[in-house]
Amino acid sequence: MSSIVRPYGDTTGDGMIQTSFTLPVPPGPRAEGAALQLATKMGISPAMVVHSHGIGTGYTFFVVYGSVSHLVDLDAVEVEERAYPLLSPSEVNGVIKTRLHRKLVVMGACIGTDAHTVGIDAILNLKGFAGEKGLEYYREMDVANLGAQVTVPELVGQARAARADAVLVSQVVTQKDAHLRNTRELAGAFREAMGEDRPLLVVGGPRFDPAMARELGVDKVFGRGTTPGEVASYLVSALIPSGEAA
């Protein structure tokens, strides 16, 4: 099987793609011409504006469809592989009980102005996500969900008071890289307040790159589609290094 592939639209290998963007131009023929010019510069040729509509005052949103000549080399794709075993809830509970000999204390929140709790709720709440129960379901975990718009100093203080083993932060709002700034602030605050005794810091959200953990100063970054089981398995692996299913 070839490792070189092209986008697929109408027929295999035709290179057809669809993309969308907004230009600060009022709706009309000039705006559509500007969109086609941009698409051509992006390597889409021939390009077609298949949808456009005005948004706000003086802006137009476009959907452009067309063909590109670019190829993808699958052998050159680099992704972060999961370096720990994926355990069931009973296995996670077994590791904590037999090796840690106390409950694992986990605290979660959305920080800054982010009021979107769907991510942190999916991981922590009992109802869970993608058919998996959240961390509240794990009997050997003591879980606290602080909710939305928690300030970093407040989170540091509560994590210290609870002697949290791990702090989980969800960031959905990403305008102007707010999620990256907030994460760096979080890492710096915990480092300054607690040094090497800080809890494990885990962040997640749809726009995070899992490879950025070191750059952001945290221990682990989870991206879109992460399940509670993946998070629980990571916590056991990171906090109980010899953690295997008992």
Side-chain angles (χ1 to χ4, degrees):
M1 180 179 177
S2 174
S3 66
I4 305 299
V5 298
R6 294 186 69 193
Y8 167 90
D10 300 316
T11 59
T12 301
D14 62 9
M16 299 300 286
I17 68 167
Q18 180 171 291
T19 187
S20 62
F21 51 84
T22 300
L23 291 177
V25 184
R30 186 165 179 262
E32 295 207 1
L36 290 175
Q37 181 187 125
L38 175 60
T40 300
K41 290 182 177 181
M42 293 169 64
I44 305 173
S45 180
M48 300 174 287
V49 174
V50 296
H51 174 76
S52 68
H53 69 265
I55 54 175
T57 302
Y59 293 84
T60 307
F61 172 80
F62 301 94
V63 176
V64 173
Y65 186 67
S67 178
V68 296
S69 60
H70 311 300
L71 304 176
V72 176
D73 183 355
L74 297 178
D75 290 340
V77 174
E78 297 182 2
V79 295
E80 184 173 279
E81 301 289 346
R82 178 165 47 82
Y84 51 90
L86 193 59
L87 305 178
S88 68
S90 62
E91 290 173 325
V92 169
N93 286 327
V95 170
I96 298 172
K97 185 173 183 178
T98 60
R99 298 184 186 275
L100 193 60
H101 307 296
R102 62 171 175 81
K103 288 194 174 184
L104 192 71
V105 181
V106 179
M107 185 168 288
C110 295
I111 59 175
T113 59
D114 200 329
H116 299 75
T117 63
V118 62
I120 198 68
D121 289 345
I123 299 300
L124 297 184
N125 286 5
L126 183 63
K127 63 182 179 181
F129 169 71
E132 296 184 8
K133 298 290 188 183
L135 301 192
E136 290 179 350
Y137 173 75
Y138 292 70
R139 65 176 182 274
E140 297 300 327
M141 290 190 185
D142 185 356
V143 177
N145 187 347
L146 303 185
Q149 297 182 321
V150 178
T151 67
V152 169
E154 180 184 359
L155 182 56
V156 171
Q158 295 217 33
R160 172 185 274 171
R163 296 184 178 181
D165 295 296
V167 170
L168 278 52
V169 168
S170 172
Q171 291 282 267
V172 174
V173 174
T174 60
Q175 283 89 342
K176 298 182 180 179
D177 287 336
H179 60 308
L180 303 182
R181 292 196 307 274
N182 288 342
T183 300
R184 292 189 177 99
E185 179 188 354
L186 172 82
F190 270 99
R191 184 170 58 249
E192 181 178 350
M194 304 179 71
E196 295 299 319
D197 293 328
R198 69 164 175 80
L200 196 74
L201 297 179
V202 179
V203 299
R207 290 282 298 278
F208 277 108
D209 179 353
M212 293 184 69
R214 183 182 295 274
E215 176 186 340
L216 295 174
V218 298
D219 298 290
K220 182 68 174 176
V221 171
F222 283 108
R224 178 170 46 88
T226 299
T227 65
E230 291 178 87
V231 176
S233 297
Y234 169 72
L235 295 182
V236 165
S237 172
L239 293 169
I240 313 173
S242 59
E244 301 175 352

